[in-house]
Amino acid sequence: PQCVLHLHSDDIGPVGAERIAESLQENTGLNNLSLCFNQIGPEGGTSIGKALKRNNTLTSLDLTHNNIQDAGAKAILDAICGNNGNKKSALVTLNLDDNDIDQTLL
């Protein structure tokens, strides 16, 4: 069964993203996480990236409109692809729309 958590427009910010990231590192059931419109910023994106290195159950992540910028996007992409481009994550769907990210990173 799918386990889904949608926290849209809850103003969790970077500190909230860090707390969610800490939980993701030990998660064994959450498959779909949506944190749209929460202004987690680059710090929150980096925290989520670190969590994705250890999480092997999350298959869908939506971070639309969070201003994660290049630093947050790089941390997330490194976590799911690794430095050599080999997929390291269970993630199948990732949405990083409207995050002020240089398109060459994507």
Side-chain angles (χ1 to χ4, degrees):
Q2 287 283 335
C3 184
V4 177
L5 178 60
H6 287 207
L7 298 173
H8 295 193
S9 303
D10 286 321
D11 197 27
I12 65 169
V15 173
E18 184 176 345
R19 298 299 173 264
I20 290 170
E22 289 169 0
S23 296
L24 281 176
Q25 291 185 38
E26 304 303 323
N27 170 60
T28 59
L30 187 65
N31 306 106
N32 182 321
L33 176 61
S34 182
L35 298 175
C36 300
F37 297 92
N38 276 295
Q39 292 304 309
I40 67 171
E43 300 88 356
T46 299
S47 295
I48 297 291
K50 288 178 184 174
L52 289 174
K53 288 182 179 180
R54 295 189 54 193
N55 179 285
N56 59 7
T57 60
L58 197 65
T59 58
S60 178
L61 176 62
D62 189 348
L63 295 174
T64 299
H65 200 78
N66 272 293
N67 198 35
I68 65 168
Q69 302 174 3
D70 293 349
K74 183 167 178 6
I76 291 167
L77 296 174
D78 284 349
I80 60 175
C81 296
N83 293 329
N84 58 9
N86 292 330
K87 187 172 171 152
K88 295 169 45 173
S89 167
L91 212 57
V92 174
T93 303
L94 174 64
N95 190 337
L96 297 176
D97 288 346
D98 298 322
N99 274 293
D100 195 23
I101 300 169
D102 182 343
Q103 294 300 303
T104 61
L105 284 175
L106 307 175

